[in-house]
Amino acid sequence: MAGGKREQIRMTPDEVAAYLAESYKVQVATVGKDGAPHLVTMFYALLDGKIAFTTYRASQKVLNLRRNPTMTCLVEDGVEYDELRGVALYGRGVVIDDPEPRNKVGMVVGSRMAGLPVPEIGEPIDPVVAEGIERAVAKRVLIVMEPDRVVSWDHRKA
């Protein structure tokens, strides 16, 4: 798809931002100790426009990122070929231990997972729900995707 078709289906930066804002599941790949990819699906929120998610401190992806911060993220959807769209982000995963941004992302992701109305990052939520989510994310760290390169496609544009 060099040139013409590739350019035709590429998303604009605004389309990429809107697509990432409306999605909530990301496939995350890190590099294992043996060099093999470690691939998982995570729920995410956008923190300052970047994919962010919480995970247990001792998880394999955190161990991998502390050893080698290389990370790839894929957000995609569609069933039929002419519906396929997605964004692949290549860069590094930053492990953040600070509870403030971790809790902000945890509130959004936790609300979504519990089937509750999803707040924007930093919006107040029910104090009882917030307390439960804070307890749930206390053993977690925040991972933020710092992309160096973004590739996108939207076959609905063709």
Side-chain angles (χ1 to χ4, degrees):
M1 276 203 285
K5 176 89 178 206
R6 180 79 194 104
E7 290 302 315
Q8 183 182 1
I9 65 171
R10 180 177 288 137
M11 292 185 200
T12 66
D14 286 345
E15 289 170 334
V16 167
Y19 180 70
L20 293 178
E22 74 185 31
S23 300
Y24 58 90
K25 288 191 310 186
V26 61
Q27 296 171 34
V28 176
T30 58
V31 181
K33 184 170 35 175
D34 62 357
H38 174 259
L39 184 63
V40 295
T41 300
M42 302 295 295
F43 285 98
Y44 76 90
L46 293 180
L47 182 63
D48 300 325
K50 296 175 182 169
I51 288 177
F53 56 90
T54 66
T55 189
Y56 289 107
R57 280 185 181 86
S59 70
Q60 187 62 55
K61 68 192 103 21
V62 171
L63 296 174
N64 291 346
L65 289 170
R66 291 196 192 279
R67 189 175 38 255
N68 176 350
T70 300
M71 186 167 85
T72 300
C73 291
L74 173 65
V75 178
E76 57 85 28
D77 70 355
V79 176
E80 300 297 326
Y81 184 80
D82 61 352
E83 300 171 338
L84 297 179
R85 62 186 179 147
V87 175
L89 302 103
Y90 302 88
R92 62 192 184 92
V94 179
V95 180
I96 300 172
D97 290 304
D98 184 345
E100 183 182 347
R102 179 201 65 210
N103 289 348
K104 285 180 180 178
V105 169
M107 294 299 162
V108 173
V109 172
S111 295
R112 183 176 285 128
M113 291 174 69
L116 301 170
V118 179
E120 294 293 322
I121 292 277
E123 272 186 8
I125 66 172
D126 178 279
V128 173
V129 173
E131 183 181 326
I133 291 172
E134 280 185 34
R135 271 196 317 275
V137 299
K139 295 177 184 174
R140 294 174 166 256
V141 293
L142 178 66
I143 307 293
V144 176
M145 172 46 143
E146 294 284 351
D148 297 324
R149 183 169 62 102
V150 177
V151 177
S152 65
W153 57 94
D154 184 348
H155 285 270
R156 300 172 313 164
K157 295 170 113 183

